[in-house]
Amino acid sequence: MDSQLLIKLVLLAGLAVVALLVVWPGRGARRMALRRISLLLLVVCAAVAVVFPQLANDVARLFGVGRGADLLLYGLVVAFVGYVIATRAHHSRVDLQVTELARAQALGAAVHAGSRHR
């Protein structure tokens, strides 16, 4: 059996969770709570790795990764992909809102100009 099978499965599961969060509709309180919990978990893991670097190495070996730094890098790649996707989605929503506001402003200005010329 592949010695790195466990880390591959964990990383693929992390990417699957990121993908599910992207396609999962809604921006409600539940989704915001999941984001905050994920961020808090990332911060706690980073703090533990800083305070107990040997623990990071032990966990890395448990997952079939050579060093704790490599394990942290893999986790950060998954987190970065999630961040990029979430940021892209946010910018798309903001662009749509700006477009709608610009259209409403243009229509309002046209109606106002039309009523002034009567």
Side-chain angles (χ1 to χ4, degrees):
M1 187 162 112
D2 188 7
S3 66
Q4 296 178 342
L5 180 63
L6 184 58
I7 189 62
K8 290 176 183 178
L9 291 174
V10 169
L11 291 172
L12 287 173
L15 289 171
V17 167
V18 167
L20 283 174
L21 288 175
V22 168
V23 298
W24 186 21
R27 294 180 300 218
R30 178 181 290 171
R31 189 152 187 184
M32 183 62 74
L34 284 174
R35 281 187 184 164
R36 287 181 178 166
I37 290 170
S38 298
L39 183 59
L40 182 63
L41 183 63
L42 182 66
V43 168
V44 167
C45 287
V48 168
V50 167
V51 175
F52 304 107
Q54 185 56 41
L55 181 61
N57 288 332
D58 294 341
V59 172
R61 274 190 234 99
L62 178 73
F63 282 103
V65 178
R67 301 178 307 160
D70 294 338
L71 180 64
L72 289 174
L73 178 64
Y74 297 154
L76 286 174
V77 166
V78 172
F80 178 72
V81 167
Y83 174 77
V84 167
I85 291 171
T87 301
R88 171 86 166 92
H90 175 73
H91 284 291
S92 293
R93 286 191 304 271
V94 169
D95 286 346
L96 182 61
Q97 289 174 340
V98 168
T99 301
E100 290 173 359
L101 286 171
R103 285 180 184 154
Q105 179 71 25
L107 288 173
V111 167
H112 180 68
S115 65
R116 218 177 21 179
H117 289 293
R118 287 187 187 182

